[in-house]
């Protein structure tokens, strides 16, 4: 392979073999190119078949990008069987193939967080706990238990407080509930494979044989259970490349442990470390400022990003009188830089610590007629019509899924009221069977009116018939027939405010069916299971995509990007505004109180290194909250930036003629813009 375009350290990372490898990849250092070329090199030069190579990362978007990049550097026929997926998709594939050992039947469901919360709320209500906040906290505790590899029995032993005892009890009952529904939740997709491999060494050996080489991206974001899975698969072979950056570990709130990087030395005695420090994105000013800031954090691995992009413009720090003034200053500066510098709106990004900060800014951008887009919009899968149909699909492949049944039993309306649902649930509980099975039992019908029995049986017969059609015939045709039978399009017309809205919702339904059809036509995973139909696999893949892709399709239009600092990781823009850089915002008040400032500093570091050419930092001297106005303090992080690289407005002396000329240019540009709009 021709690797001449790579720098020496990148080439070393691509060609290293014979011991575990940790690639410390600084921001903008070309890590994706290194990973994709390493996979191609393993196939072409090391002679490892693609089907025995697995690469895992954290998002579907990252996995898609990796697959696309690999296809550009290696011929398609050499890539057959290659696994590039998220951690959770990989875990799902293990569970599918080993379901019987885990006590699961074919067609098991994956509960999303909302379904899991509803199940927990029902379980906790039996303990007379109806507080939503308590339910949410317990759900978070159970997720933490699973991500730490703690079983319900261990959780009970560790319980110290009354809420600990309640959480451990709920964890035990929730686990029983999942088993009764033939279901798993999102955290189980990693936890169950780890438990399986611990209990069945022969199964682990089989999977080690399937994976001769493992690559892990964004390793600083792994939690304890994900690290355990990696270690299980590679502890003997050491055939492992890990790519990560401890300075960009910003997900502790969801269990990420940058300490996992440090533990690699303990678990892999022959670990080799290669640092990628040349940045291909940003100017010297931006990188040296980021280096200076992050140097205030303790480090196991020291690195210094550098660039040959030139010195660049100094970082501007813009004090503002209020949050309203801050938003106006950002909007006017974007217009000024666009009109005077010939930039597109899409070259600007405004980043902030918390979503609520965008509200004032949005009004100002609208006032200045600046188009914008926000990351983390409404998920396609969060729309009610999609959740309805996904519940139908889940019930079709897993009739034990009580959550799915309860969502759709009255969608569209079937006049099955609370008393009927209560009778159905009680009968199912007494019989120890799923609600769908209980529907057809004579014992239930003895307590119900004949008309109610008829409606229940119609629903049961319809679902049962569609299930058979899925297995025996054309899966898509069966699903379309079901949608037509229930007149779901008519239901959308009845429940939508306008006919135009109903048509948009119906278009979403068509998009879902098209996605299902695409997965059936072009399956990414060709390793089919004997007891699982293609349509079952495709439906389960859609459910997992729902959990991993809570985002809109990428938008390439010319609009300013608004995003939280967490959502901006992995992105880059010529010009970046960091807003609200104040004490209690960045760093956040909770982190100050918990003394976890290091992660907030890493968050600031991520924000700085999103900028390619110019960085503007703003803060307000007064800010409104809950109707009150209070004084603020500039963030401590501003004093940790090198003074020679910043221009602090209001503190540093400026050339009056330069200020006047820039102001006049902005006014002229605004007049021209308004004149054009009026015309």
């Amino acid at each position: 392979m021709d690797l001449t375009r790579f720098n020496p350290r990148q080439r070393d990372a691509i060609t290293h073999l014979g011991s575990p490898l940790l690639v410390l990849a600084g921001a903008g250092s070309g890590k994706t190119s290194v990973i994709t070329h390493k996979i191609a090199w393993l196939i072409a030069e090391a002679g490892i078949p693609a089907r025995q190579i697995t690469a895992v990362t954290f998002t579907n978007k990252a996995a898609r990008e990796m697959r696309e990049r690999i296809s550009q550097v290696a011929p398609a026929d050499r890539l057959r069987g290659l696994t590039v997926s998220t951690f959770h998709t990989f875990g799902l594939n293990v569970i599918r193939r080993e379901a019987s050992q885990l006590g699961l039947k074919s067609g098991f469901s994956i509960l999303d967080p909302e379904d899991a919360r509803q199940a927990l709320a029902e379980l906790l209500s039996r303990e007379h706990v109806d507080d939503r906040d308590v339910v949410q906290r317990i759900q978070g505790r159970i997720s933490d238990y699973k991500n730490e590899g703690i079983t319900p029995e261990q959780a009970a032993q560790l319980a110290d407080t009354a809420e600990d005892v309640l959480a451990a009890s709920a964890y035990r009952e929730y686990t029983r509930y999942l088993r009764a529904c033939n279901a798993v939740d999102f955290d189980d997709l990693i936890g169950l494979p780890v438990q399986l491999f611990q209990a069945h060494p022969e199964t682990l050996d089989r999977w080690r044989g399937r994976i001769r080489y493992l690559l892990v991206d964004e390793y600083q974001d792994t939690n304890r259970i994900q690290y355990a899975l990696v270690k299980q698969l590679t502890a003997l072979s050491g055939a492992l490349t890990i790519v990560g950056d401890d300075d960009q570990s910003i997900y502790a709130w969801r269990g990420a442990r940058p300490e996992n990087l440090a533990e690699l030395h303990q678990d892999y005695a022959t670990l080799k470390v290669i640092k990628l420090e040349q940045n291909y994105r940003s100017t010297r000013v931006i990188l040296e400022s980021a280096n200076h800031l992050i140097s205030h954090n303790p480090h196991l691995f020291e690195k210094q990003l550098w660039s040959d992009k030139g010195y660049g413009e100094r970082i501007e720090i813009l004090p503002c009188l209020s949050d309203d003034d801050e938003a106006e200053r950002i909007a006017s500066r974007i217009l000024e830089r666009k009109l005077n510098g010939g930039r597109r709106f899409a070259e600007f990004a405004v980043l902030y610590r918390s979503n609520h900060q965008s509200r004032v800014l949005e009004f100002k951008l609208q006032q200045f007629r600046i188009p914008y887009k926000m990351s983390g919009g409404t998920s396609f899968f969060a729309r009610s019509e999609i959740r309805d149909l996904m519940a139908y699909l889940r019930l079709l492949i897993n009739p034990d899924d009580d959550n799915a049944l309860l969502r759709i039993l009255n969608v569209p309306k079937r006049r099955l009221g609370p008393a009927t649902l209560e009778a159905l649930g009680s009968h199912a509980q007494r019989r120890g069977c799923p609600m769908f099975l209980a529907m057809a039992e004579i014992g239930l019908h003895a307590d119900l009116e004949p008309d109610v029995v008829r409606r229940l049986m119609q629903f049961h017969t319809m679902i049962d018939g569609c299930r058979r059609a899925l297995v025996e015939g054309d899966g898509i045709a069966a699903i379309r027939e079901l949608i037509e039978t229930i007149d779901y399009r008519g239901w959308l017309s009845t429940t939508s405010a306008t006919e135009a809205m109903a048509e948009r919702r119906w278009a979403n339904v068509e998009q879902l069916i098209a996605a299902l059809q695409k997965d059936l036509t072009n399956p990414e995973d060709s390793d089919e299971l004997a007891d699982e139909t293609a349509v079952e696999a495709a439906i389960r893949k859609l459910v997992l995509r729902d959990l991993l892709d809570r985002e809109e399709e990428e938008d390439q239009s010319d609009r300013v990007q608004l995003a939280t600092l967490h959502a901006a990781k992995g992105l880059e823009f010529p010009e970046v505004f960091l807003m609200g850089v104040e004490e209690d915002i960045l760093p956040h008040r909770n982190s100050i109180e918990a003394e976890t400032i290091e992660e907030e500093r890493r968050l600031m570091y991520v924000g700085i290194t999103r900028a390619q050419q110019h960085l503007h930092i703003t803060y307000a001297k007064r800010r409104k909250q809950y109707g009150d106005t209070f004084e603020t303090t500039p963030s401590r992080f501003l004093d940790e930036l090198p003074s020679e690289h910043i221009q602090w407005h209001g503190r540093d002396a400026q050339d009056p003629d330069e200020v006047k000329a820039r102001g006049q240019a902005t006014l002229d540009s605004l007049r021209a813009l308004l004149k054009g709009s009026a015309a």
Side-chain angles (χ1 to χ4, degrees):
M1 286 181 62
D2 180 11
L3 301 178
T4 54
R5 75 178 184 86
F6 292 96
N7 66 44
R9 289 186 179 179
Q10 289 175 324
R11 285 197 297 273
D12 287 347
I14 291 170
T15 60
H16 177 79
L17 204 60
S19 71
L21 173 65
L22 168 60
V23 180
L24 280 173
S29 62
K31 72 178 180 65
T32 303
S33 289
V34 169
I35 293 175
T36 54
H37 280 77
K38 172 134 201 174
I39 291 170
W41 186 87
L42 289 169
I43 297 168
E45 304 294 339
I48 301 176
R51 68 179 183 279
Q52 294 183 315
I53 298 173
T54 292
V56 292
T57 187
F58 280 84
T59 66
N60 280 335
K61 181 180 176 183
R64 282 194 299 270
E65 181 185 0
M66 201 181 296
R67 275 194 293 267
E68 289 166 6
R69 298 274 286 271
I70 294 169
S71 68
Q72 294 168 8
V73 298
D77 61 329
R78 300 293 299 274
L79 297 177
R80 193 169 294 113
L82 174 69
T83 297
V84 179
S85 73
T86 64
F87 263 103
H88 292 90
T89 302
F90 174 79
L92 173 61
N93 287 335
V94 174
I95 294 172
R96 285 176 57 221
R97 287 163 180 76
E98 313 296 345
S100 60
Q101 289 194 76
L102 290 165
L104 292 167
K105 294 178 285 187
S106 174
F108 62 87
S109 294
I110 307 171
L111 265 61
D112 70 14
E114 183 179 321
D115 288 327
R117 191 174 302 118
Q118 289 174 353
L120 271 173
E122 172 62 27
L123 293 171
L124 287 167
S125 70
R126 300 173 191 173
E127 302 295 325
H128 309 291
V129 176
D130 298 311
D131 189 316
R132 277 186 179 183
D133 291 337
V134 173
V135 173
Q136 194 163 346
R137 283 205 306 274
I138 296 297
Q139 184 179 24
R141 294 284 293 277
I142 292 173
S143 180
D144 289 343
Y145 288 143
K146 292 190 176 190
N147 288 329
E148 290 289 315
I150 296 172
T151 65
E153 295 73 25
Q154 291 169 330
Q157 293 172 358
L158 294 169
D160 287 330
T161 66
E163 189 160 302
D164 289 344
V165 173
L166 179 63
S169 173
Y171 184 17
R172 182 183 64 250
E173 294 305 312
Y174 174 63
T175 301
R176 289 176 179 169
Y177 173 84
L178 289 176
R179 183 56 58 92
C181 289
N182 191 35
V184 299
D185 66 17
F186 192 57
D187 295 317
D188 288 331
L189 297 180
I190 308 297
L192 288 180
V194 170
Q195 292 174 25
L196 172 74
F197 292 155
Q198 287 172 345
H200 300 278
E202 72 286 354
T203 304
L204 174 58
D205 287 341
R206 183 158 29 86
W207 277 88
R208 284 171 172 168
R210 291 171 66 106
I211 302 174
R212 280 181 58 190
Y213 206 95
L214 179 66
L215 302 97
V216 184
D217 191 18
E218 301 288 4
Y219 193 73
Q220 75 281 347
D221 295 337
T222 54
N223 57 33
R224 191 181 297 277
I225 202 72
Q226 286 161 337
Y227 183 30
L229 180 62
V230 170
K231 191 162 68 169
Q232 284 176 326
L233 293 169
T234 61
L236 292 182
S237 69
L240 172 68
T241 289
I242 280 170
V243 181
D245 180 8
D246 51 342
D247 290 333
Q248 295 189 73
S249 180
I250 57 174
Y251 295 113
W253 51 276
R254 68 183 189 197
R257 299 178 73 252
E259 300 91 335
N260 286 350
L261 287 166
E263 291 180 13
L264 288 169
H265 273 299
Q266 303 167 20
D267 295 321
Y268 298 91
T270 59
L271 181 74
K272 180 179 176 66
V273 178
I274 295 176
K275 300 177 186 178
L276 303 184
E277 297 171 298
Q278 182 175 358
N279 175 284
Y280 294 91
R281 173 191 299 162
S282 306
T283 63
R284 269 184 53 201
V285 161
I286 291 168
L287 292 181
E288 290 177 9
S289 298
N291 287 338
H292 200 274
L293 172 81
I294 206 65
S295 69
H296 291 78
N297 272 6
H299 283 81
L300 177 68
F301 306 100
E302 295 292 340
K303 64 178 185 302
Q304 287 285 315
L305 293 182
W306 63 275
S307 169
D308 59 7
K309 294 286 186 185
Y311 186 80
E313 297 182 74
R314 285 196 295 168
I315 295 170
E316 286 190 294
I317 298 180
L318 305 169
C320 306
L321 295 176
S322 65
D323 45 357
D324 188 74
D325 179 45
E326 178 184 45
E328 182 163 327
R329 192 143 190 199
I330 290 172
S332 62
R333 184 56 64 92
I334 288 174
L335 273 184
E336 173 193 336
R337 302 283 293 188
K338 172 183 165 54
L339 297 171
N340 294 340
R343 290 200 183 282
R344 299 172 64 244
F345 283 122
E347 295 180 66
F348 296 90
V350 185
L351 310 180
Y352 35 82
R353 176 64 176 81
S354 302
N355 274 311
H356 70 83
Q357 293 174 255
S358 69
R359 294 169 191 160
V360 178
L361 179 62
E362 286 188 76
F363 285 117
K364 287 298 177 185
L365 293 176
Q366 291 167 7
Q367 182 182 335
F368 279 71
R369 301 178 185 177
I370 296 174
Y372 65 90
K373 57 186 175 182
M374 299 184 70
S375 64
T378 302
S379 164
F380 175 74
F381 288 93
R383 294 176 169 90
S384 62
E385 63 273 15
I386 300 303
R387 292 189 63 81
D388 289 344
L389 291 189
M390 289 300 293
Y392 270 104
L393 295 177
R394 282 167 43 197
L395 188 63
L396 288 174
I397 66 171
N398 178 17
D400 295 352
D401 192 334
D402 285 350
N403 272 93
L405 174 69
L406 289 171
R407 180 176 181 92
I408 59 173
L409 197 53
N410 273 308
V411 178
K413 291 291 184 187
R414 297 186 176 90
R415 292 183 295 128
L416 297 169
T420 302
L421 296 180
E422 185 177 354
L424 177 61
S426 298
H427 182 78
Q429 193 170 3
R430 285 196 304 271
R431 297 279 292 116
C433 69
M435 285 194 236
F436 184 76
L437 183 60
M439 265 184 202
E441 293 198 340
I442 300 298
L444 170 67
H445 299 165
D447 300 327
L448 297 174
E449 296 294 325
D451 192 45
V452 173
V453 171
R454 180 181 58 78
R455 290 195 294 274
L456 281 175
M457 289 306 299
Q458 282 177 339
F459 179 84
H460 188 278
T461 301
M462 178 185 68
I463 295 297
D464 215 34
C466 188
R467 290 187 66 236
R468 286 197 302 272
L470 278 181
V471 175
E472 298 169 2
D474 182 342
I476 295 297
I479 291 167
R480 284 193 178 278
E481 184 177 346
L482 172 66
I483 293 171
E484 187 174 336
T485 300
I486 65 175
D487 189 21
Y488 193 73
R489 191 167 192 171
W491 168 254
L492 292 180
S493 293
T494 303
T495 56
S496 298
T498 65
E499 196 55 38
M501 179 184 291
E503 287 302 313
R504 286 196 297 272
R505 295 175 71 191
W506 179 252
N508 290 333
V509 171
E510 292 285 1
Q511 186 177 342
L512 178 71
I513 296 172
L516 190 59
Q517 177 74 67
K518 182 179 178 182
D519 281 341
L520 284 169
T521 308
N522 304 300
E524 291 174 4
D525 184 1
S526 59
D527 190 1
E528 296 182 2
L529 300 179
D531 58 350
E532 183 178 69
T533 66
V535 73
E536 285 178 331
I539 290 170
R540 191 175 293 111
K541 189 184 298 181
L542 275 182
V543 175
L544 184 57
R545 189 177 304 162
D546 169 11
L547 294 170
L548 291 171
D549 271 356
R550 302 285 184 171
E551 58 188 26
E552 295 277 15
E553 291 297 312
E554 290 184 40
D555 184 349
Q556 301 299 326
S557 58
D558 187 24
R559 297 191 283 172
V560 174
Q561 173 74 64
L562 310 185
T564 64
L565 287 163
H566 286 99
K569 187 167 176 288
L571 303 178
E572 56 187 54
F573 304 91
E575 298 223 17
V576 168
F577 289 80
L578 293 184
M579 69 179 290
V581 185
E582 303 153 20
E583 291 291 299
D584 292 339
I585 295 181
L586 185 65
H588 195 276
R589 181 181 306 164
N590 293 345
S591 296
I592 295 172
E593 293 173 354
E595 299 184 351
T596 55
I597 297 297
E598 287 80 7
E599 176 148 338
E600 294 291 297
R601 188 175 284 112
R602 292 195 291 268
L603 205 52
M604 178 82 170
Y605 173 87
V606 166
I608 292 173
T609 53
R610 298 313 94 194
Q612 295 171 305
Q613 297 166 19
H614 198 75
L615 176 65
H616 315 258
I617 299 175
T618 66
Y619 65 89
K621 296 180 180 179
R622 293 188 303 277
R623 192 170 291 278
K624 286 182 182 176
Q625 190 172 19
Y626 308 120
D628 295 326
T629 300
F630 58 92
E631 302 290 324
T632 68
T633 304
S635 171
R636 69 191 72 187
F637 298 150
L638 297 181
D639 290 322
E640 295 176 359
L641 299 175
S643 57
E644 67 272 19
H645 289 338
I646 63 175
Q647 179 184 347
W648 198 313
H649 291 242
R651 179 184 291 187
D652 301 336
Q654 299 183 62
D655 183 341
D657 292 334
E658 179 186 337
V659 174
K660 184 178 179 180
R662 190 170 65 201
Q664 186 60 50
T666 301
L667 285 174
D668 293 342
S669 298
L670 285 171
R671 288 194 188 102
L673 179 70
L674 294 172
K675 184 178 179 181
S677 298

